[in-house]
Amino acid sequence: MTIDLATRMMPADAASAATAARALAEGGLVAFPTETVYGLGADARNGRAVARLFAAKGRPRFNPLISHVADIAAARRLARFDAAAERLATAFWPGPLTLVLPKSIDCPVSELATAGLDTIAVRVPDHPVAREILAAFAGPVVAPSANRSGHVSPTTAAHVLADLEGRIDLVIDGGATQVGIESTILACLGGAPLLLRPGGLSRERIEAALETELAEPARATDAPLAPGMLGSHYAPRTRLRLEARAVEPGEALLAFGPVAASGAEHARAVLNLSSTGDLVEAAANLFSHLRALDAASVASIAVVPIPQEGIGEAINDRLARAAAPRSEGSEVRDQKSETR
Ligand code: TXA
Ligand code: MG
């Protein structure tokens, strides 16, 4: 999978942006500096590359990722801007501000990158190396901080290598990052802008640009309140039946691997996450397959057991959330588990 790659380290120079862009276009994982922290980049439109990224970080669950773009024109192809978002982007991009916005109708970013949500986080970083790479690649790049899950965010290329050597393709060394903490995240979803994560851009500067005070964050913590706070985890309307070994009458089947579940021939619809049993491919297909089966108007979706290894852990985490009965308290529980 992503383990045991020969990770190349290159100084940022005239040639490195083109090399990085080529690696991204081939589905590679490329760490590069932004003004906040080093990001681990992948082509946001390539679900398989995004799945490899989650596997390389060892994230036990699929958090939605930030799509990095070269300029506001590129951001407009991904998301819809309300008046507040326009103002903030004009005032602070490029810079350490991430906006969570409604996805555009024809948004090309993979479902896995946004964790199946109808919203998308976008930012235009302010670092010459990041900007050159984004200009050369000419497409959206998802980039969580370039560290193993649970470790601190890296501010030098050496930090990145210490965590991810052998798990990613390329590190572009552009020296130490300036800001050192992650971008501030604001949601602009029609109502008053909501501070989801304090970060490199101060509340005071945001309030000055908006000419209004931001609502207090719900918790005094630097842990992101997103996305549980928005109460918008992707969940299919159709009931999921997990660990299913046989298909019941009227059900659709979400399969995995080459062996057919018993009764598969009677399923109302069948999609296979990976017919070869490749968990990275399965992760890349997860949200889009769930959406497609959800649209099939069936009583329930039988989901075969998925191995609890590697990125399979994150797949099972998402399936368990999608299968959980939705009660009034569930949003609150969700929020707590997301902010850990
Ligand atoms: O400074 C930064 O923002 C760095 C550099 C590399 O750009 N990136 C970064 O990414 O911190 P990451 O993946 O560590 O944090 C992204 C945060 C997550 O907490 C995620 O929940 C939130 O953004 N997020 C992404 N999409 C979201 C959405 N649609 N709704 C709410 N929150 C979202
Ligand atoms: Mg992080």
Side-chain angles (χ1 to χ4, degrees), residues 264-297:
E265 65 280 8
H266 303 303
R268 300 271 301 278
V270 182
L271 286 175
N272 199 322
L273 290 169
S274 167
S275 51
T276 60
D278 175 351
L279 286 167
V280 169
E281 183 183 15
N285 288 329
L286 178 65
F287 290 104
S288 49
H289 281 15
L290 279 176
R291 264 185 206 266
L293 292 180
D294 201 19
S297 309

Side-chain angles (χ1 to χ4, degrees), residues 53-66:
L53 190 157
F54 279 109
K57 280 190 61 103
R59 272 201 182 172
R61 57 173 59 133
F62 299 125
N63 292 331
L65 302 174
I66 301 170

Side-chain angles (χ1 to χ4, degrees), residues 57 59 144-145 147 153 182 197:
K57 280 190 61 103
R59 272 201 182 172
S145 50
N147 51 278
S153 296
E182 290 90 345
R197 178 177 77 179

Side-chain angles (χ1 to χ4, degrees), residues 93-174:
W93 280 355
L97 171 68
T98 293
L99 295 175
V100 171
L101 306 171
K103 261 187 185 175
S104 65
I105 304 285
D106 49 1
C107 179
V109 169
S110 72
E111 293 268 7
L112 184 60
T114 55
L117 297 173
D118 295 324
T119 57
I120 183 168
V122 283
R123 104 174 179 91
V124 178
D126 185 16
H127 189 290
V129 174
R131 291 177 62 89
E132 278 163 24
I133 292 171
L134 291 170
F137 181 62
V141 173
V142 284
S145 50
N147 51 278
R148 291 284 284 275
S149 182
H151 294 192
V152 294
S153 296
T155 54
T156 67
H159 293 165
V160 176
L161 265 196
D163 252 25
L164 295 174
E165 179 154 32
R167 306 176 74 89
I168 65 176
D169 299 285
L170 181 61
V171 183
I172 305 295
D173 183 357

Side-chain angles (χ1 to χ4, degrees), residues 1 35 44 47 52 61 68 115 131 141 146 169 171 180 208 212 223 250 252 265 290 295 298 316 319 326:
M1 213 161 54
E35 79 280 32
R52 287 183 67 223
R61 57 173 59 133
H68 296 64
R131 291 177 62 89
V141 173
D169 299 285
V171 183
T212 163
E265 65 280 8
L290 279 176
V298 292
N316 283 321
L319 286 170
R326 256 137 272 154

